[in-house]
Amino acid sequence: AQSVTQPDIHITVSEGASLELRCNYSYGATPYLFWYVQSPGQGLQLLLKYFSGDTLVQGIKGFEAEFKRSQSSFNLRKPSVHWSDAAEYFCVRPKLSFGAGTTVTVRA
Amino acid sequence: NAGVTQTPKFQVLKTGQSMTLQCAQDMNHEYMSWYRQDPGMGLRLIHYSVGAGITDQGEVPNGYNVSRSTTEDFPLRLLSAAPSQTSVYFCASSSGRTALGTGELFFGEGSRLTVL
């Protein structure tokens, strides 16, 4: 079955530090992959998406993700975290299977 | 811009009661879906629809019914609520006729349901 796995349930990072969230997918074919963010008490917003082509994808809020077929991964990164990045992050793929999510806490 | 509107935002039910969660979108999206969000489990797809008159089951459909009589509306019905249905429910819509998920999902703000 198609699925995504987010190995990290919770990550704590200092403000200004870099952030990387892991996402692994199962299934052989080139997948469509998305990252969504859910800020506290809010709905979900699309950060970025990968369909094909360039494996480094730029998104909103300074986030980027890199698709690596050899590692079946689509990790999300941000070079310098802001306090407003504290949220839950979901890796998603068709048929819109959500990963369990990674909660990011930002400490001052 | 209304986008995806869900009502109610909060609801408390007793076991065995029925209720309907309403979802409406004004973006003329063909695809609409319902998810439930539970701690540690991400979002799980309950039902989805690829157009008016067409619905299909997702990952966790038991205990829920849906219908799609118009493009705009996609209500979710709980016929006999159970405590296991305590959750936060999200409605989402997307452009495109398929459930391949190539289009961006637009989410409502969620409905928190508690079943006692």
Side-chain angles (χ1 to χ4, degrees):
Chain A
Q2 305 175 33
S3 68
V4 293
T5 303
Q6 294 180 245
D8 305 304
I9 298 172
H10 190 198
I11 288 179
T12 298
V13 61
S14 297
E15 191 169 15
S18 63
L19 174 68
E20 182 168 14
L21 304 181
R22 296 184 290 165
C23 173
N24 297 106
Y25 67 90
S26 63
Y27 200 53
T30 300
Y32 300 126
L33 290 162
F34 301 75
W35 275 99
Y36 280 81
V37 59
Q38 184 179 28
S39 298
Q42 297 188 20
L44 290 96
Q45 181 182 23
L46 179 68
L47 281 175
L48 48 79
K49 57 187 176 184
Y50 172 77
F51 289 167
S52 64
D54 194 348
T55 56
L56 185 63
V57 180
Q58 301 297 322
I60 63 172
K61 303 184 179 187
F63 284 91
E64 66 178 26
E66 186 170 13
F67 174 73
K68 292 185 177 180
R69 182 189 300 276
S70 61
Q71 299 177 16
S72 297
S73 69
F74 186 57
N75 295 349
L76 182 72
R77 300 193 294 252
K78 185 168 184 178
S80 178
V81 169
H82 187 262
W83 65 266
S84 60
D85 293 324
E88 190 160 17
Y89 293 80
F90 294 96
C91 185
V92 183
R93 70 166 297 173
K95 294 187 178 181
L96 299 174
S97 167
F98 277 71
T102 299
T103 300
V104 173
T105 298
V106 180
R107 60 185 175 214
Chain B
N1 294 334
V4 179
T5 303
Q6 288 181 235
T7 57
K9 287 185 170 47
F10 301 94
Q11 182 72 49
V12 178
L13 291 178
K14 295 181 179 178
T15 297
Q17 286 185 317
S18 63
M19 77 157 298
T20 299
L21 297 176
Q22 301 291 345
C23 177
Q25 54 91 8
D26 61 0
M27 296 172 283
N28 201 32
H29 284 168
E30 295 280 3
Y31 179 83
M32 295 185 73
S33 54
W34 277 101
Y35 296 84
R36 59 176 291 171
Q37 183 178 23
D38 302 292
M41 305 189 74
L43 276 77
R44 292 180 292 170
L45 183 62
I46 304 171
H47 286 284
Y48 66 94
S49 168
V50 297
I54 307 169
T55 64
D56 206 347
Q57 296 181 352
E59 182 182 359
V60 288
N62 293 340
Y64 307 95
N65 283 348
V66 292
S67 60
R68 185 93 179 270
S69 56
T70 67
T71 299
E72 295 77 19
D73 300 300
F74 190 46
L76 179 71
R77 298 183 186 85
L78 287 71
L79 297 180
S80 180
S84 61
Q85 294 178 304
T86 294
S87 188
V88 181
Y89 292 85
F90 286 95
C91 179
S93 72
S94 178
S95 59
R97 289 191 62 85
T98 74
L100 289 179
T102 56
E104 176 182 354
L105 279 172
F106 293 85
F107 286 87
E109 294 185 348
S111 299
R112 184 176 294 276
L113 175 66
T114 301
V115 183
L116 303 175

